Structures are given as structure tokens and as C-alpha cells.
Amino acid sequence: MPRTEERPGGAGSLDDLGAALADTVRGTGASSGGLYLIEEAEPVLRLVALCGLPLAFSAPWQRLPLTAPVPVADAIHDDALVSVAGHDDMARRYPRAAAVLPYPFALVAAPLTGVRRSWGGLVLMWPADRPRRVTPRERGHIDASARRMARLLDDAPRPPSLPDQPRVVPVAAARHPAQTGLAAADYLERLPEGALALDLEGRITFATDTAARLLGRGADRLLGTRPWHSLPWLDDPVFEDHYRTAIISRTPVSFTALRPPEQPLTFQLYPDTSGISVRVLPSTEGAEPPPAARPPLAAPTGRLYQLVHLAAALTESVTVRDLVALIAHQILPAFGAQGLVLSGVDAGRLKITGHHGYPADVMERLDALALDTDLTPAGQVLASGTPAFFADPAELAASHPSAPQISGKQAWAFLPLIISGRPVGCCILSYTRPHTFTADERAVLTSLSGLIAQALDRARLYDTQHRLVHELQRTLLPRALPRVPGLDVAARYLPAGHGTEVGGDFFDVLRLDETSAAAVIGDVEGHSIAAAALMGQVRTAIHAHATAGAAPGQVLARTNRLLADLDSELLVSCLYVHLDLGRHQASLASAGHVPPLLRHARHPAAVLDVEPGPLLGIDTGTDYPVTTVSLLPGTTLALYTDGLVELPGTDATRTTSDLAAHLDTADGHDLERLIDRLVRHITPTGQHADDIAVLLLRASRPGGRPA
């Protein structure tokens, strides 16, 4: 979604959307909510409004890939409401999200589907005591709220600009306006226990004298601080996590802490949409050991959960391209950085494998630098294994005078990527303004560098295997199809959208003589080197039998006997077509292959009823029946493998009918354009779980003119 100037208060503005989000949270009884919009330029989901939660809690969730394994991305992809009944349900369906939010709560995500496009998604969270199932009435309310927000966006003169940070929207206005603060304070001071009030961010907004006495610090030194910051004996992530539990689950939380030297205090937290009320009472029960007895943790709880989130995301990156996108979209925003250079060690040089926030000419100067270069500290941090942080250009120029002048950045973090003492690369985060790195930032970035190193090593290995696999695949398929007078041909092969194993789909077109040709398409069971090898042998056998003059049924029968001789456990589906262009007819024999589509000139396309024989490799004594059809000029025959129509979550019969209908409406005069449109129609995102092979054959008029 492009950045545009937004008219304050106009239709579809973030003010309107924030107000609609707050209304939805109140109307559904939710404890909190978030609004995501799609930033199409990336494309990613951006959290633009937050209600009922502190801004710091949203750090891991402010930018999400549209394919992220989270409920809101699934709701948008499926255009359907996604309900998560509780933390157990979350852990089973969305383990990465559950690791970052280990609290009892329920969640619903709904898509914002407009008239012409999807705008984003709505997320609502409820306390743990909410009923586990969404009632029809609640579903109707949530759907209506999502439609209202989508309508606001539809009616806007232009899309809203996306803020760098989500707007925090209050759930409700201040309550009890007629009651004075002095009366409430007097009431609380009379109680024998201490009382504190925390806002949603965890800051102390009120403290009684009794609470200050019990905590051992004056009220003036407590107000505006977070307890785990102003009270050293509460500076333990365990105590901060109790606050996070109360905020997210909206349930009372109680814990005991030891105020030095020997005073245990019980804290009882009562949360709502505006903050937390805290009772502080002396405790006579055994307290937990003091924080000094626990292993020290360098980062606060929020940063630790952010590290868990980023670590889980890094384990899911597959290719180097995935890794660069993950760092650019999630790690850079988490640390306020704007630039990224990811380099891998290659023959004593740093080869840039990905970057973000830099112009191409700068990358050309920095690419393939020697490890001992003076232009950048990257080589030094790899040699020492210690990250280097530079808060401003002066710090960097002190050791590398030329480095700040190359990129124009103002602060840098150089992270060595090392696995078991072996350097694999360097990750550089950079800033457009000077930036002082805090102790917890340094600690978390240092921890992340090890995870990035492992992810980069895996991704480079995957990319290498993937490249080798598909080079092997290309060598097993025909490099070019022969020119046959009176026949137009187009073919496409699309490897599976994931994995590094070779597929077994194959096709071929053979020119037999001046007036006849043969076409074959097939699919070897499985994805492996064995499947690819068998595919090459089957294709060679069919080629040999066809050019020797065997009839279609004999070609398949003899190839079937070859599989028996090879003693292969893999089965093969195959469709063989003999094209007699002089007599204008086609003879087809099938070994359990999906039937082709046939479109006669000026007649609708339909599935061709071909009597199938068994798969190759089942019974060596099998005969394969032959089906003959007319092939008048203008007739189009579409052969394909099952990966084109057998898609997850769809009915193959319906998909095949849809493919036939699209064959009718597509441009019939250009087979290359037609085959591209057919493939894009079935797999519009380019993602498919299985290999796909498509072969289009059209009989043309004498002289090569289409019908």
C-alpha cells in the first residue's frame, strides 16, 4: 500500500478506524484488539491500531509477512474467521505465536474484505474465562464490525498512510467523573494494606503511604516508574511476567517477593481495560528466593519474548531470500534499524547475499571485499568473533576512516556469523541517525547473531541443493520441442513450490514422419533421485518404441515390461498420443493418467473420455486400450499432470471443469499465451504443492495458419 497523505478525520482515516476498533472491543466484550492493514509494496501486514494493550507488547507483531503462521494471516488468506479457543489450541495450531504469548487467553481473527480487495485483518482477544466457542451472535457481531471497517476503507478517497508505530486507542473514557481523587485517596490511606495503581504500560500512577512504606521507597520516587525498574529487588523477569500475564489474560494474579532483608510481600494484581490495581500485603508465608539467587538475565521480559519470537521465525526461513526478508521486515523494525547487509564468506571474501535500505551502487562497492579490508570492520569482527557497535560516524571513523563515507549511515551493529568456530558471514544493521546501543540491545543482538548464522548456513545449503536439483530436472526434460508441420505446440514445467527433491513429471513431443507425430506426458510416483532416474528411463523407452513404429497401446505395454525388468518399486502414470495429421485424427492410450481436455473449433472444451489401463509397473501382461478422436484443424488437446488440478482444499473435478471453461474463454490464437494464462488461472499465487507439467497441442491449417 503506497504511502499517501491522509486527511485528518476523513472517511477511512486511522482516527475512524481506531474508533471502530475501540467500539468493536467494547461491543464484543474483548479485552484487547488490533487492526492490521496490508502494505502491498512489501507485501506485509502492518499493525496500525492497538486497543487494550501496551505498545511494547506489540513489538513482535507490528510487521508480519502475509504468509506468517499466525491467525490473522490465515483469516485473510482464507477470507474466513479464525477462532483460537485457548493457549492449548494456540500451541497446537500456531506454536510460534504460543511461544511468545504463554498466557491464558482466547483469540479471534477476522478478514477486512472490501468490495474489490482485501484490506487486512482484525484481531480480538478475550480473558481466559471466556467460553471456548464463538457463538453465532458473537460471530455476527465480529463479522459486522469487520465489514464496517472494510467499508470505511472502501469509501475513503485514498488508502490511509501507514504509521511507523501503531496508534494506541483507549477502550473507554474515564469513569466516575463526579468522584474526586482526594476522596478516593483518603479512603485508601485508611486501609491497613498498601495500594498501587499501574497503567497499561506498567507505570505506577498512584501509591498510598502504606504501599510506599512497605516497598521501602517514597511515593515521589515511585510515581511514573515501573516497579521492576525502581525497586531493585523486583528487577527479575519473573515478576515482570506476572504483570504481562495480568494484562493479557485479564485475570487476577498473585505472587510473593522478598523485600530485603527478610520481609516477604504479597502482590495481588487486578487488571481491567484501563490498568491494574495492586494490593500490597505483608506475608507470613514462605517467599520465593531473592532475585540474586536466580541466574541473571540481561534483557527485560518483553525483549526476551521478542527474542523467542525472532528465534522461532529464523528457524522457519528456508532460502537466503526468505532470511533477508525476515531480517528486513521483523528484526530491523524490532531494533529501530533501517539498513541491512547480509554477507556470506566465500573463498576469503565477503559476498553480499542480500541487502535492504541501500542503493545498488553502494552494494557494488561493498560486494566481494576481502576479509582483511580496511573499508569495513566486518573482517575484524569475524576474526575476533565479537560483535562491534558504533553509535555514530565518529566512532566508526576512528578505526575505519573510509567506512562512514561509503553508505552515509550514522550508526552500525556488525554481527559476526560463526558456527562452531567456523565463520559463515557477517550481518550489518545500520541506522540513518546516531543510535546508542543499550546493554539489552547488545545482548539480544549478540544472541541473534548465532541464530542468524545457523539460518544463513541452512539457507545457503538449501539454495545450493535446490539449484542442483532443478538443473538435474532440466537435463531430464526436452530442451526444445520439434517443429511439426500442421501442429502447434506449447509446454510448461513448474517444479513444486517447496522442497529440494527432484520431481517425476515429464513430457515430450516426437516427430515421427512428415505427417505424424507423438506426444507423451507422465508422472513418476514420488519426489526423489530414484524417481528422476526412472523418469529418464521411461521417457527414453517411450521414445525408442514410438520411433520404431509401435502403436500407442504397444508403446505403453512394452514400456510397462521395461519397468518389470528394472524391478522398480515406483509406479508411473502416462498418456501417449499418436497424431496422424494427414488423416486428422489422434489415437490415445492411457496408463492411469488424468484424462486430457479436448476443444474442437467453435465447440466447448470438455474432458476427453479415454479408457485407461493400469499404471505402469503393476502388471506386465496388461494390454492398454486405444481411444481415437478426430483432430480437425483448430482442435486443441490439453495434456497435463495431476498437480495442475489436484490442489489442497479443492475438488479435482471442479478444478478440471474450471480449467476447461477457461480454455474456452482464453485467447485461442497464441498457444504460448494460452498456456501461461491457464497456469496462472489455476495457480494465481505461483505456489503449488506438486510439480506441474502442461502440454498443449493444436492442429493447424495447411501453411501453419490457425483455425
Side-chain angles (χ1 to χ4, degrees):
M1 182 181 297
R3 296 289 186 91
T4 56
E5 291 300 320
E6 175 189 329
R7 296 186 303 176
S13 69
L14 291 182
D15 289 338
D16 288 340
L17 294 170
L21 175 63
D23 288 345
T24 303
V25 170
R26 287 194 298 271
T28 58
S31 56
S32 58
L35 178 64
Y36 284 90
L37 294 182
I38 297 173
E39 182 179 2
E40 293 181 332
E42 297 292 347
V44 295
L45 286 170
R46 290 275 295 275
L47 181 63
V48 299
L50 183 67
C51 186
L53 284 177
L55 181 62
F57 281 27
S58 70
W61 315 103
Q62 290 181 10
R63 290 170 62 93
L64 298 171
L66 274 171
T67 56
V70 293
V72 65
D74 283 354
I76 294 169
H77 179 268
D78 299 337
D79 193 23
L81 186 141
V82 173
S83 176
V84 179
H87 189 263
D88 291 344
D89 193 18
M90 179 73 80
R92 184 174 63 256
R93 298 163 58 188
Y94 303 99
R96 187 206 297 182
V100 185
L101 294 171
Y103 310 108
F105 65 92
L107 179 146
V108 165
L112 304 184
T113 306
V115 175
R116 293 175 299 275
R117 55 166 292 177
S118 174
W119 289 100
L122 167 69
V123 178
L124 298 171
M125 296 172 64
W126 282 266
D129 57 359
R130 175 183 181 272
R132 298 180 68 84
R133 292 186 178 275
V134 180
T135 66
R137 183 171 182 176
E138 287 175 327
R139 181 182 293 270
H141 194 149
I142 296 168
D143 287 342
S145 298
R147 286 195 301 270
R148 174 189 170 195
M149 295 181 192
R151 194 158 52 245
L152 285 172
L153 292 161
D154 282 339
D155 294 342
R158 60 182 64 88
S161 58
L162 304 185
D164 293 331
Q165 293 282 332
R167 296 189 180 185
V168 178
V169 183
V171 177
R175 294 166 292 180
H176 314 304
Q179 299 183 22
T180 66
L182 289 177
D186 287 343
Y187 165 76
L188 291 170
E189 291 293 356
R190 298 185 193 105
L191 298 177
E193 62 196 45
L196 298 174
L198 309 181
D199 63 14
L200 291 178
E201 300 287 343
R203 292 183 292 258
I204 299 174
T205 59
F206 176 81
T208 64
D209 289 341
T210 303
R213 178 177 54 79
L214 290 171
L215 297 176
R217 181 152 296 191
D220 58 334
R221 298 179 63 188
L222 291 173
L223 294 177
T225 70
R226 294 176 173 87
W228 45 91
H229 290 168
S230 54
L231 300 170
W233 47 278
L234 285 179
D235 186 15
D236 188 304
V238 171
F239 299 136
E240 184 185 348
D241 201 48
H242 290 309
Y243 147 76
R244 294 172 66 93
T245 301
I247 284 291
I248 294 179
S249 66
R250 289 294 198 271
T251 55
V253 173
S254 178
F255 65 92
T256 300
L258 183 65
R259 193 201 80 184
E262 296 180 353
Q263 175 60 67
L265 296 177
T266 296
F267 295 81
Q268 297 175 353
L269 284 60
Y270 299 91
D272 72 357
T273 57
S274 62
I276 300 177
S277 297
V278 183
R279 297 175 66 195
V280 185
L281 306 95
S283 175
T284 58
E285 301 177 0
E288 298 179 8
R294 295 193 180 98
L297 294 170
T301 304
R303 185 68 85 181
L304 290 175
Y305 280 129
Q306 189 175 49
L307 178 58
V308 170
H309 170 78
L310 295 175
L314 284 168
T315 63
E316 296 177 1
S317 61
V318 177
T319 67
V320 172
R321 183 177 179 180
D322 293 339
L323 179 60
V324 172
L326 170 67
I327 298 174
H329 297 153
Q330 298 193 43
I331 294 180
L332 291 189
F335 294 92
Q338 293 80 38
L340 161 71
V341 179
L342 185 65
S343 302
V345 175
D346 186 0
R349 295 184 175 273
L350 281 171
K351 188 70 176 177
I352 294 177
T353 57
H355 61 89
H356 178 84
Y358 285 88
D361 61 326
V362 171
M363 291 298 95
E364 290 179 3
R365 294 184 61 186
L366 295 176
D367 194 17
L369 292 176
L371 290 177
D372 58 356
T373 179
D374 290 331
L375 289 178
T376 169
Q380 290 183 6
V381 299
L382 274 175
S384 66
T386 304
F389 301 92
F390 301 94
D392 54 50
E395 285 191 13
L396 182 58
S399 56
H400 297 78
S402 301
Q405 303 172 17
I406 296 177
S407 67
K409 302 295 185 184
Q410 300 295 302
W412 300 263
F414 288 83
L415 307 177
L417 307 181
I418 298 174
I419 300 177
S420 301
R422 174 174 59 90
V424 297
C426 184
C427 180
I428 306 171
L429 307 186
S430 59
Y431 297 75
T432 55
R433 296 181 180 179
H435 178 84
T436 300
F437 294 90
T438 64
D440 74 278
E441 281 181 323
R442 292 173 183 245
V444 174
L445 285 172
T446 300
S447 299
L448 276 178
S449 65
L451 299 173
I452 294 173
Q454 295 176 24
L456 177 61
D457 203 40
R458 288 194 310 269
R460 292 174 68 184
L461 178 61
Y462 177 94
D463 284 347
T464 299
Q465 291 176 333
H466 196 264
R467 183 170 57 254
L468 291 174
V469 159
H470 289 289
E471 286 177 358
L472 173 61
Q473 187 88 58
R474 282 195 295 271
T475 63
L476 295 173
L477 294 172
R479 293 182 177 274
L481 298 177
R483 293 182 177 274
V484 180
L487 184 68
D488 297 330
V489 180
R492 291 291 182 273
Y493 171 75
L494 288 79
H498 60 83
T500 59
E501 295 186 323
V502 187
D505 290 19
F506 65 94
F507 63 87
D508 207 349
V509 175
L510 313 173
R511 182 173 178 176
L512 301 179
D513 56 39
E514 292 300 320
T515 61
S516 65
V520 62
I521 194 165
D523 184 3
V524 180
E525 178 186 23
H527 291 77
S528 63
I529 297 297
L534 185 61
M535 178 258 279
Q537 292 169 312
V538 169
R539 180 170 165 252
T540 300
I542 290 175
H543 192 287
H545 296 313
T547 54
Q554 293 175 327
V555 169
L556 293 187
R558 293 173 182 176
T559 304
N560 188 34
R561 286 194 289 274
L562 169 68
L563 262 65
D565 294 339
L566 294 174
D567 196 23
S568 172
E569 296 181 354
L570 300 177
L571 303 178
V572 182
S573 74
C574 185
L575 178 66
Y576 179 84
V577 185
H578 181 272
L579 303 159
D580 190 332
L581 302 174
R583 297 183 179 181
H584 303 298
Q585 67 180 24
S587 300
L588 302 91
S590 173
H593 197 78
V594 288
L597 299 177
L598 181 67
R599 181 181 183 272
H600 290 293
R602 294 178 292 278
H603 288 81
V607 177
L608 182 59
D609 186 12
V610 178
E611 184 180 354
L615 295 170
L616 301 179
I618 291 182
D619 183 359
T620 57
T622 299
D623 292 326
Y624 290 89
V626 176
T627 302
T628 301
V629 296
S630 63
L631 195 69
L632 297 174
T635 301
T636 300
L637 195 60
L639 285 59
Y640 51 90
T641 54
D642 55 8
L644 186 64
V645 293
E646 294 181 3
L647 308 176
T650 63
D651 178 66
T653 302
R654 182 175 179 180
T655 305
T656 303
S657 298
D658 189 32
L659 184 67
H662 200 70
L663 187 63
D664 287 331
T665 59
D667 180 11
H669 295 285
D670 184 345
L671 279 193
E672 293 293 334
R673 183 180 177 188
L674 172 57
I675 197 169
D676 285 337
R677 292 182 63 178
L678 287 177
V679 171
R680 283 199 306 269
H681 176 70
I682 297 298
T683 59
T685 64
Q687 297 295 317
H688 39 90
D690 197 3
D691 299 326
I692 295 175
V694 186
L695 183 61
L696 295 187
L697 310 168
R698 180 188 293 143
S700 58
R701 295 187 185 279
R705 292 182 292 109

